[in-house]
Amino acid sequence: MNNRLRVLRAERNWSQADLAQKLEVSRQSVNAIETGKFDPSLPLAFRLAKLFETTIEAIFLEES
Amino acid sequence: MKFCRRQFSDYRRRSMHTIEIMMGICIALSILLQAVIERHSLNLVSRFEIALLSIAPVIATILLLARYLRGEKDAYVRNLVVESMLWGLGAVLIAHTFFSYFQPDGSLIPIGNISPDIFVLAVSAKLEVKLWRNQ
C-alpha cells in the first residue's frame, strides 16, 4: 500500500527512530511501512493518524 | 541472534534472551543424550525416559515463543518472528524428508538429534536476512 509517511515525517524533521519511539514500535516497523513492505494494523494506522493530526486516508493511499 | 541485541524493547530483548537460552539447552541436551545412547546399552524404559527428557526443552521453547508472541505489540516484528519460525520448521521438515532415505543403510547424520540445531540456524538466518533487507 502506498503511503505519505516519509513525507509527513520529513515535514516534521523526525527520523525513523523518532517516529518509532513515538509509536512504540521498532524502527524496522516504520521502515517496512514506509517502503510498503508491511501494511500496519488498524490500531497502528489510527495512532499514526492521531500523531500526524490527520486522517488515515490522508496517510495511506489506495493502489490504483 | 543479533535480533535481541538491537534497539528493541526490554520485553522483546528479555523474551528473546530466554528463548535463546532454552534453544541452547535443546541443542546441548540433544548432544548429551546422543552420547549417552551411543555409549550405553539402554533398555526400552530408559530410552523412553531419555526421549521424554529430550522433548522437555522443545516444549518449553514452544511455550516461551507462544507467550512472547501473545505479548508482542509490534505487529511487524510478530509477523517477522512467525515467518522465521515457519522457515525453521520448513528447514527441519526438508532435512528430515531428505535424510529419511538414508535410514535403511544407517543414516550418516542422526537427523532427529540435530533438529533443534537446524531450527535455530534457519530461524536465525531468516531473521537476520529480513532485518538486513529492511535496514
Side-chain angles (χ1 to χ4, degrees):
Chain A
M1 187 180 280
N2 296 325
N3 64 74
R4 296 179 56 241
L5 208 56
R6 195 182 291 270
V7 176
L8 291 166
R9 185 170 59 76
E11 282 171 0
R12 286 156 181 81
N13 283 325
W14 291 346
S15 66
Q16 284 187 342
D18 294 334
L19 181 57
Q21 197 177 8
K22 289 176 200 298
L23 293 169
E24 296 178 332
V25 296
S26 60
R27 191 194 56 76
Q28 281 85 354
S29 298
V30 172
N31 188 50
I33 294 167
E34 276 189 6
T35 52
K37 288 178 186 166
F38 178 72
D39 292 331
S41 63
L42 206 48
L44 183 56
F46 273 112
R47 288 218 302 275
L48 279 163
K50 194 176 174 184
L51 189 66
F52 288 117
E53 295 172 328
T54 184
T55 58
I56 291 175
E57 297 94 311
I59 302 174
F60 297 97
L61 315 166
E62 194 179 2
E63 282 180 53
S64 55
Chain B
M1 277 186 269
K2 268 195 253 168
F3 182 66
C4 65
R5 288 188 283 275
R6 295 186 186 182
Q7 69 282 20
F8 288 150
S9 67
D10 281 346
Y11 170 74
R12 194 172 301 142
R13 202 175 294 113
R14 233 182 11 254
S15 301
M16 283 296 165
H17 189 61
T18 315
I19 291 164
E20 275 184 337
I21 290 170
M22 197 50 73
M23 283 179 165
I25 292 171
C26 281
I27 293 168
L29 201 63
S30 69
I31 294 166
L32 183 76
L33 294 177
Q34 179 63 27
V36 170
I37 287 173
E38 280 173 4
R39 285 175 195 177
H40 303 281
S41 172
L42 300 170
N43 60 26
L44 194 62
V45 176
S46 302
R47 280 181 177 269
F48 183 75
E49 285 167 353
I50 281 179
L52 277 181
L53 187 62
S54 72
I55 62 167
V58 177
I59 292 169
T61 304
I62 291 166
L63 292 175
L64 282 170
L65 280 165
R67 193 181 70 173
Y68 161 68
L69 288 173
R70 260 202 318 273
E72 177 57 69
K73 289 185 174 69
D74 191 331
Y76 172 72
V77 175
R78 198 165 51 232
N79 279 8
L80 198 68
V81 172
V82 170
E83 195 181 323
S84 302
M85 282 167 61
L86 286 173
W87 271 77
L89 289 173
V92 171
L93 194 61
I94 287 166
H96 269 265
T97 306
F98 180 80
F99 284 104
S100 67
Y101 287 93
F102 291 97
Q103 291 299 334
D105 305 315
S107 174
L108 292 173
I109 302 169
I111 191 72
N113 299 322
I114 60 163
S115 293
D117 311 49
I118 295 169
F119 181 76
V120 169
L121 279 174
V123 170
S124 305
K126 183 63 184 172
L127 272 175
E128 287 300 325
V129 167
K130 288 288 279 188
L131 288 170
W132 174 72
R133 286 174 64 183
N134 192 32
Q135 282 297 313

